Amino acid sequence: MTIIIIGAYFLNNIIVSNTVLETQKIEAQLKKTHNDALINAKAGIEVYATIVSSLKSFTINYNEFPSELKLQNYLNDILKDIQFNDSILINYIDKNHEFKYVITPNSIDPKNLKGINVKSFRSEERIEELDRLMLTNDIKIFSPINLREGWTGFPFNFSARNANNEVIGYFAPIINVKYLLDFFYENNKEKNYIHKFVVNDSLDLTREGFYNGSEIYNNKKDEEYYKNFDIKESDFIYSTIELFGLKLKVGSAYKDKPVIEKSIYNLAYISYGLVSVLLFIALSQYLRNRYLNKSLKIANQDLENNLFKIQTLIKEIHHRIKNNMQMVSGILLMQEAEYEDENIKKALRDSQSRIQSMSLVHEKLYGNRTLKEVKTKDYIEQLIKFVEDTVKNKSTEISKRIKIDKQLSFDADTTSNLGLIVNELITNSFKYAFNDTKENTLSIEIINDSEYYKLIYKDSGIGLPDDFDIKTSKSLGMQLINILTEQLGGYLIYNKAPESTFTIYFKPLEKSFHG
């Protein structure tokens, strides 16, 4: 009993550790996506820096203060060189904060801003900040603004000087925020991530508008705005990037956070409990029989039939156990050392051998971690190789023909049942049909036959005896094949000529398969 408790403790630790590992993988993938998006955004920042720095350099180094037309021509040259196609607006404002130039790549003063004073719509605090900026050589960006033209821009500002280096006002280029924010989604092909952009720690910025309480003139909404999704604040991870003095807080999260599949863990607990109970009962019964020196017999045939069904189902469960079977095998090995009685040791060794055999089959059945869908052809090929390594005579040569669509997939339960059926058929072929004195062939084919799928299994053996009844056979392997075929909603047909052929008609247990 102590060993069983210790085994359960280690099983629990393994499951907990695996859960922690899966959680760390999910978090690491989100961090990678977040960091990749930040790296991509640097390219957008470099474009902003190229445009603004080039404009500043042009106004300073030109032999005279440029006219609107010359500034517009230069702007178009820059945009053509860097292949910039988003919205941009260039403003020159004098020392009294009156608009003098209003330039877009295609027009001059499209909204009739010339002559309007910035003081009429900006706070005294912002005007004083602009006055101080005119006296420096810095480039500064203020909070984004929603323009009447229907887009949202980053407002850059730097001092305007004439050929004598005298301050005559300032330039205020405004560049569409969408150009930069698009970089965060550029490589997100799976569309399973959402990004959040915050200015001044509380104001949301999207590709189509800035939510600072001012009017948004753009009727189009950003479909990737995080408030369109039910995402908890705690699910976001954050970084801050700086744009010429403006700090932009960037958060990233999953739209649909991956969920760790726990059904296999519950199955492991249940299976371990069942095996532990069965082993404890078997050992207790053996010791009792040793003292009583007699065996118990089942008097009622109905009880015997029910017990047979229960034993068959339990054996199927045994086939579906993986790591916990290995643990039970180890427990039996340790427990063997506690007894001197050779009969007890032999019984424990026999049990250990059976459990080890079942665990090897189950290891192939549950090689897929997600247990959602399994590529059937790859799975069958691996299963054949496993059986070959286990039971094949090294000198026996076998020609195999596997005809299964590479894209055919079934859910885990359907694949498990098919695997158990194929395992029984292949094992019997290696034991009874193949030998060193003849050409040995094996064929497996799965086709979609309208209402049913068909598994067609052939080998080069002489086939089953004429008096062999596949429905009433007491062979455990044939009983398992019949039970599993019924579970798949199908039926079995056997033909001995011209080749020994098993044809199993079945239906997938779930409809989420591809074929």
Side-chain angles (χ1 to χ4, degrees):
M1 179 61 72
T2 302
I3 294 177
I4 292 176
I5 294 174
I6 293 174
Y9 170 78
F10 281 111
L11 174 62
N12 183 70
N13 282 351
I14 291 171
I15 290 176
V16 171
S17 298
N18 189 67
T19 301
V20 171
L21 179 61
E22 292 302 315
T23 301
Q24 290 174 344
K25 287 181 179 179
I26 292 171
E27 293 173 351
Q29 182 59 44
L30 178 59
K31 289 179 181 178
K32 180 181 182 301
T33 299
H34 179 74
N35 291 334
D36 288 346
L38 292 176
I39 292 172
N40 291 335
K42 289 182 180 180
I45 294 173
E46 289 297 326
V47 172
Y48 284 171
T50 298
I51 294 173
V52 177
S53 299
S54 297
L55 287 171
K56 181 180 179 182
S57 177
F58 176 72
T59 60
I60 292 175
N61 298 322
Y62 198 65
N63 54 11
E64 60 182 359
F65 193 75
S67 65
E68 278 184 302
L69 185 58
K70 289 187 178 297
L71 192 58
Q72 185 186 50
N73 290 337
Y74 182 72
L75 172 64
N76 282 313
D77 288 341
I78 296 174
L79 300 183
K80 182 178 179 181
D81 288 341
I82 63 176
Q83 296 181 339
F84 182 89
N85 298 317
D86 274 295
S87 305
I88 183 170
L89 180 67
I90 309 298
N91 302 301
Y92 159 52
I93 304 167
D94 67 14
K95 293 174 65 175
N96 294 322
H97 301 282
E98 183 178 306
F99 281 92
K100 295 299 183 182
Y101 292 178
V102 181
I103 302 169
T104 72
N106 300 314
S107 61
I108 301 293
D109 195 17
K111 295 295 182 179
N112 299 318
L113 293 177
K114 286 185 183 180
I116 295 177
N117 198 291
V118 177
K119 294 178 182 179
S120 64
F121 56 87
R122 292 294 182 203
S123 65
E124 289 186 16
E125 182 181 357
R126 178 56 56 84
I127 296 300
E128 291 175 359
E129 195 171 357
L130 288 168
D131 286 336
R132 290 192 296 271
L133 180 65
M134 279 190 281
L135 302 178
T136 72
N137 288 320
D138 297 336
I139 298 175
K140 184 174 178 60
I141 181 173
F142 294 115
S143 295
I145 56 176
N146 297 309
L147 282 78
R148 294 180 181 275
E149 286 81 355
W151 51 277
T152 301
F154 285 122
F156 294 81
N157 295 271
F158 58 87
S159 175
R161 300 171 183 265
N162 60 21
N164 297 322
N165 200 31
E166 296 171 339
V167 176
I168 58 174
Y170 57 95
F171 281 95
I174 303 175
I175 307 177
N176 199 336
V177 303
K178 187 175 183 180
Y179 181 81
L180 175 62
L181 302 191
D182 273 342
F183 277 93
F184 286 89
Y185 295 94
E186 186 176 83
N187 294 323
N188 183 10
K189 304 300 184 185
E190 297 179 359
K191 301 296 183 183
N192 192 34
Y193 301 95
I194 194 70
H195 300 291
K196 175 181 180 181
F197 309 98
V198 181
V199 178
N200 297 331
D201 292 326
S202 61
L203 302 178
D204 290 340
L205 176 65
T206 73
R207 291 176 290 183
E208 305 296 345
F210 180 44
Y211 294 88
N212 62 344
S214 65
E215 184 176 355
I216 298 176
Y217 300 95
N218 185 2
N219 293 326
K220 186 177 180 181
K221 304 298 181 183
D222 191 341
E223 294 180 356
E224 299 296 321
Y225 186 25
Y226 74 96
K227 287 189 176 179
N228 295 334
F229 304 90
D230 185 17
I231 302 174
K232 298 178 181 178
E233 175 62 25
S234 58
D235 289 338
F236 281 93
I237 58 173
Y238 288 98
S239 297
T240 300
I241 59 177
E242 188 166 338
L243 297 170
F244 299 94
L246 176 71
K247 291 185 177 180
L248 181 63
K249 186 178 179 182
V250 180
S252 299
Y254 287 103
K255 289 180 182 177
D256 296 305
K257 191 173 183 179
V259 177
I260 299 174
E261 180 61 57
K262 294 184 178 179
S263 61
I264 186 61
Y265 301 151
N266 296 332
L267 178 61
Y269 283 126
I270 294 171
S271 301
Y272 182 80
L274 286 173
V275 172
S276 298
V277 169
L278 289 172
L279 290 175
F280 181 76
I281 293 173
L283 182 59
S284 299
Q285 188 66 34
Y286 177 82
L287 292 174
R288 184 181 178 187
N289 289 344
R290 177 179 148 189
Y291 285 108
L292 297 176
N293 195 23
K294 64 178 181 178
S295 62
L296 298 176
K297 295 183 179 180
I298 299 174
N300 188 291
Q301 186 62 41
D302 290 338
L303 181 60
E304 185 175 277
N305 292 337
N306 290 336
L307 179 60
F308 170 76
K309 293 179 180 179
I310 293 173
Q311 289 173 337
T312 302
L313 292 175
I314 290 175
K315 288 173 183 177
E316 181 187 354
I317 292 174
H318 288 178
H319 275 280
R320 300 178 66 174
I321 298 171
K322 185 180 179 182
N323 294 333
N324 30 329
M325 276 296 187
Q326 295 288 352
M327 186 181 299
V328 172
S329 179
I331 290 172
L332 289 178
L333 182 62
M334 291 187 290
Q335 203 164 22
E336 182 183 338
E338 295 183 359
Y339 296 95
E340 296 182 357
D341 191 300
E342 286 300 322
N343 289 327
I344 295 177
K345 288 186 174 184
K346 183 178 182 301
L348 291 173
R349 284 195 296 270
D350 289 345
S351 297
Q352 181 186 359
S353 176
R354 294 187 184 100
I355 291 171
Q356 179 67 17
S357 175
M358 288 186 290
S359 71
L360 289 174
V361 175
H362 186 75
E363 179 179 348
K364 292 299 179 182
L365 292 176
Y366 282 83
N368 186 319
R369 176 180 61 81
T370 63
L371 298 180
K372 291 289 179 72
E373 291 184 353
V374 180
K375 294 288 187 183
T376 305
K377 184 174 183 180
D378 292 343
Y379 173 76
I380 294 296
E381 289 175 344
Q382 291 179 11
L383 185 59
I384 293 174
K385 185 178 185 305
F386 164 74
V387 176
E388 278 190 297
D389 293 341
T390 304
V391 301
K392 175 190 169 186
N393 188 321
K394 293 183 178 179
S395 61
T396 303
E397 296 294 331
I398 301 166
S399 174
K400 297 181 287 291
R401 175 179 174 269
I402 311 300
K403 188 176 180 181
I404 302 174
D405 190 335
K406 290 184 178 180
Q407 301 304 316
L408 181 64
S409 299
F410 293 114
D411 60 274
D413 288 337
T414 301
T415 305
S416 296
N417 286 359
L418 285 177
L420 287 167
I421 291 171
V422 172
N423 178 73
E424 294 297 329
L425 294 173
I426 297 174
T427 301
N428 285 336
S429 293
F430 276 102
K431 285 183 178 180
Y432 305 115
F434 301 152
N435 58 58
D436 299 342
T437 61
K438 67 183 185 68
E439 181 180 354
N440 302 296
T441 62
L442 180 153
S443 171
I444 299 177
E445 181 177 3
I446 296 179
I447 60 177
N448 189 345
D449 188 24
S450 186
E451 183 180 357
Y452 291 91
Y453 277 82
K454 281 201 307 187
L455 167 63
I456 303 171
Y457 180 91
K458 301 178 182 179
D459 66 27
S460 57
I462 62 174
L464 298 175
D466 293 336
D467 59 350
F468 188 89
D469 190 335
I470 61 175
K471 295 296 183 183
T472 61
S473 170
K474 293 185 178 180
S475 162
L476 176 60
M478 188 56 65
Q479 291 169 354
L480 277 175
I481 291 173
N482 281 315
I483 289 174
L484 293 169
T485 301
E486 289 178 5
Q487 289 181 356
L488 291 174
Y491 57 93
L492 168 66
I493 295 176
Y494 175 73
N495 292 307
K496 188 172 183 180
E499 294 179 277
S500 178
T501 304
F502 287 87
T503 304
I504 297 171
Y505 293 81
F506 68 94
K507 297 179 180 179
L509 297 175
E510 294 183 13
K511 297 302 182 183
S512 58
F513 60 88
H514 305 289

